[in-house]
Amino acid sequence: MNDEHFIKNIEIKNFKLFKDFKAEGFGRVNLIGGKNNVGKTAFMEACYLSQSENTQSLFARLLEIASHRDIVNRLLSRTTIDEDIKELINSEYIMILINKKRVAFYKDVNNKGIYVIETPYFDYLSYTDLSDIINFFIKNTKYNFTINFISPYSNSNQELEDIIGQSKLDNKYDELNKYLLGTFGIESIDIIKNKPMLKDGNKYKELSYYGQGIKTFINLISSILLLKDDIIFIDEIDNGIHYSNLDKLWEIILTISKQQNVQVFATTHSKECIESYAR
């Protein structure tokens, strides 16, 4: 099986709390453990950004990271987000495409704003100005989360509807239901009257009735099933999942990641999750 697309090692410089960091030896399924606020999510974001194919892809991934971090909601409510923008753009420079023009954002020496270089123009933007640009893109672009980057914020009903629909198109729907039945005793999941519903004992109940754990499980498993020769990043993989289901979750992830040739990066601060992964 070809694993040329896998991340084998990474070097991170000047990204959030990583000033000069190197790591190597990654395999097909990787779990990053540690306490809160030690940089697990930042590491995942750096890996995710490193897979950008071009500047436009990079900007889209930055927007997605911002959305997962709930920065989008603060942008749309027009509150002050200077610190969030500084955290998001915490590097010497970043290049994006705006209206098909190549633009480079360079931080100034006093870290008060960002120089914008766009041939043949040269201008200066404050962090507030930059937030307005991002706000414009969010309001004027139909934005969807990818299935390559999953966080506790990416479990909306709309996303589940898209994933379930795609699983039917890709002939992965029956396989998803097989794992649901084997893990939770649930017969199937479907979208009925624009709501995700589970069939349990020949009766349909809304997904919200069952709690966060099953919702997280469905999102994780279906996303990996829909990928092929790719990489997926899962932040807080055990979010809402009862510790008694962790062994089954890892067993399924190990199975389908090999089947789909997908490399998995996941984070957790749960001792039980780490122990389950080790088993």
Side-chain angles (χ1 to χ4, degrees), residues 136-149:
F136 173 83
F137 269 86
I138 293 170
K139 284 188 173 182
N140 292 277
T141 303
K142 184 181 179 182
Y143 187 77
N144 294 307
F145 286 132
T146 67
I147 60 175
N148 292 86
F149 192 93

Side-chain angles (χ1 to χ4, degrees), residues 103-141:
V103 177
F105 291 155
Y106 284 87
K107 294 199 318 189
D108 76 347
V109 293
N110 297 315
N111 201 34
K112 294 180 179 178
I114 293 179
Y115 288 107
V116 179
I117 301 175
E118 176 187 324
T119 308
Y121 304 105
F122 180 84
D123 203 353
Y124 178 85
L125 289 182
S126 67
Y127 288 110
T128 302
D129 295 330
L130 178 57
S131 74
D132 288 339
I133 290 178
I134 296 178
N135 194 20
F136 173 83
F137 269 86
I138 293 170
K139 284 188 173 182
N140 292 277
T141 303

Side-chain angles (χ1 to χ4, degrees), residues 18 61 136 212 252:
F18 295 106
R61 289 172 187 247
F136 173 83
Q212 180 64 33
I252 295 172

Side-chain angles (χ1 to χ4, degrees), residues 1-34:
M1 190 171 288
N2 191 338
D3 63 355
E4 290 182 358
H5 63 284
F6 283 9
I7 295 175
K8 305 293 178 58
N9 53 72
I10 191 167
E11 183 175 353
I12 306 172
K13 291 188 176 183
N14 299 319
F15 182 77
K16 298 188 176 179
L17 55 76
F18 295 106
K19 302 307 178 185
D20 190 0
F21 174 85
K22 294 181 181 180
E24 58 186 14
F26 299 117
R28 178 164 47 85
V29 179
N30 308 274
L31 179 63
I32 294 87

Side-chain angles (χ1 to χ4, degrees), residues 22-277:
K22 294 181 181 180
E24 58 186 14
F26 299 117
R28 178 164 47 85
V29 179
N30 308 274
L31 179 63
I32 294 87
K35 297 179 180 180
N36 287 327
N37 300 317
V38 297
K40 299 188 303 296
T41 299
F43 171 81
M44 297 272 280
E45 291 172 350
C47 291
Y48 181 57
L49 293 174
S50 75
Q51 300 304 294
S52 303
E53 298 175 354
N54 49 50
T55 52
Q56 204 162 17
S57 171
L58 174 62
F59 188 52
R61 289 172 187 247
L62 281 167
L63 282 181
E64 179 163 11
I65 287 173
S67 300
H68 281 289
R69 291 250 183 203
D70 209 23
I71 295 176
V72 170
N73 292 335
R74 292 197 291 277
L75 275 169
L76 296 179
S77 64
R78 297 187 178 278
T79 57
T80 302
I81 57 149
D82 285 357
E83 292 304 315
D84 295 319
I85 294 299
K86 289 178 184 178
E87 180 184 19
L88 183 63
I89 312 295
N90 186 18
S91 60
E92 292 304 315
Y93 71 92
I94 190 165
M95 300 189 72
I96 67 171
L97 293 178
I98 296 181
N99 295 329
K100 298 182 179 179
K101 296 180 181 178
R102 187 178 296 273
V103 177
F105 291 155
Y106 284 87
K107 294 199 318 189
D108 76 347
V109 293
N110 297 315
N111 201 34
K112 294 180 179 178
I114 293 179
Y115 288 107
V116 179
I117 301 175
E118 176 187 324
T119 308
Y121 304 105
F122 180 84
D123 203 353
Y124 178 85
L125 289 182
S126 67
Y127 288 110
T128 302
D129 295 330
L130 178 57
S131 74
D132 288 339
I133 290 178
I134 296 178
N135 194 20
F136 173 83
F137 269 86
I138 293 170
K139 284 188 173 182
N140 292 277
T141 303
K142 184 181 179 182
Y143 187 77
N144 294 307
F145 286 132
T146 67
I147 60 175
N148 292 86
F149 192 93
I150 298 176
S151 83
Y153 310 109
S154 58
N155 276 336
S156 70
N157 286 351
Q158 180 60 54
E159 289 170 88
L160 282 174
E161 182 176 348
D162 293 342
I163 285 175
I164 293 168
Q166 191 62 49
S167 70
K168 293 180 179 180
L169 292 174
D170 291 359
N171 295 317
K172 298 294 184 181
Y173 180 65
D174 290 341
E175 193 171 355
L176 171 60
N177 287 328
K178 178 188 74 174
Y179 289 124
L180 267 177
L181 182 62
T183 306
F184 299 103
I186 300 297
E187 296 173 48
S188 63
I189 181 171
D190 214 333
I191 302 297
I192 300 175
K193 294 184 177 180
N194 298 319
K195 293 181 180 180
M197 303 191 78
L198 298 179
K199 188 178 182 182
D200 184 3
N202 293 320
K203 292 183 179 180
Y204 281 99
K205 296 180 181 179
E206 289 188 28
L207 177 59
S208 58
Y209 174 83
Y210 294 88
Q212 180 64 33
I214 293 183
K215 195 173 185 180
T216 299
F217 179 92
I218 293 170
N219 197 22
L220 298 183
I221 300 307
S222 56
S223 295
I224 302 174
L225 279 171
L226 292 175
L227 293 172
K228 181 67 176 177
D229 302 327
D230 211 332
I231 305 176
I232 188 169
F233 302 91
I234 307 168
D235 197 19
E236 297 185 29
I237 189 169
D238 55 319
N239 179 48
I241 296 180
H242 194 267
Y243 71 89
S244 61
N245 288 321
L246 288 174
D247 281 8
K248 189 65 177 178
L249 175 66
W250 283 118
E251 180 184 331
I252 295 172
I253 289 175
L254 288 165
T255 298
I256 61 177
S257 64
K258 184 176 182 179
Q259 167 191 311
Q260 299 298 113
N261 196 25
V262 171
Q263 187 179 32
V264 178
F265 283 87
T267 69
T268 185
H269 52 73
S270 162
K271 179 183 177 182
E272 290 83 4
C273 187
I274 295 171
E275 291 173 343
S276 174
Y277 169 81

